[in-house]
Amino acid sequence: YAAHPENRRRERHRRAARLRSAAAVPFTGDLLNERMSLWSGCWMCGEPFTAHRIRTVDHVKPLSKGGPDMLANLRPACKSCN
């Protein structure tokens, strides 16, 4: 997990989705990175990512509100917006 912390986060989200019976479509880290590269910055504020604006992955419709854990529901967001 130390070498790839994003995999651990993704597994936690998938487990949470399964516990709530939310839809979960498996995807690889490469597909996630390709999806995130479609945006040059945060999808909410539009600011580019820098050393101070750290990129996180945001679920557009939150898992807690029944949103699916799938690539179509993911966007890059800076830590402060997420």
Side-chain angles (χ1 to χ4, degrees):
Y1 291 131
H4 301 283
E6 69 279 357
N7 290 342
R8 177 70 176 133
R9 280 191 298 274
R10 207 166 45 246
E11 277 305 312
R12 282 197 319 258
H13 287 298
R14 283 190 184 136
R15 181 176 186 279
R18 282 192 307 270
L19 291 174
R20 285 186 313 282
S21 300
V25 178
F27 52 87
T28 64
D30 290 338
L31 287 173
L32 178 62
N33 288 333
E34 186 178 321
R35 173 91 175 152
M36 296 300 113
S37 70
L38 296 174
W39 289 268
S40 60
C42 176
W43 79 278
M44 288 186 247
C45 69
E47 293 292 321
F49 298 113
T50 63
H52 300 292
R53 295 187 84 72
I54 299 170
R55 183 187 87 172
T56 61
V57 178
D58 180 44
H59 286 82
V60 176
K61 183 170 184 181
L63 295 175
S64 63
K65 304 289 184 193
D69 187 32
M70 59 190 329
L71 285 174
N73 191 35
L74 300 176
R75 305 283 189 282
C78 54
K79 199 169 188 175
S80 60
C81 288
N82 196 4

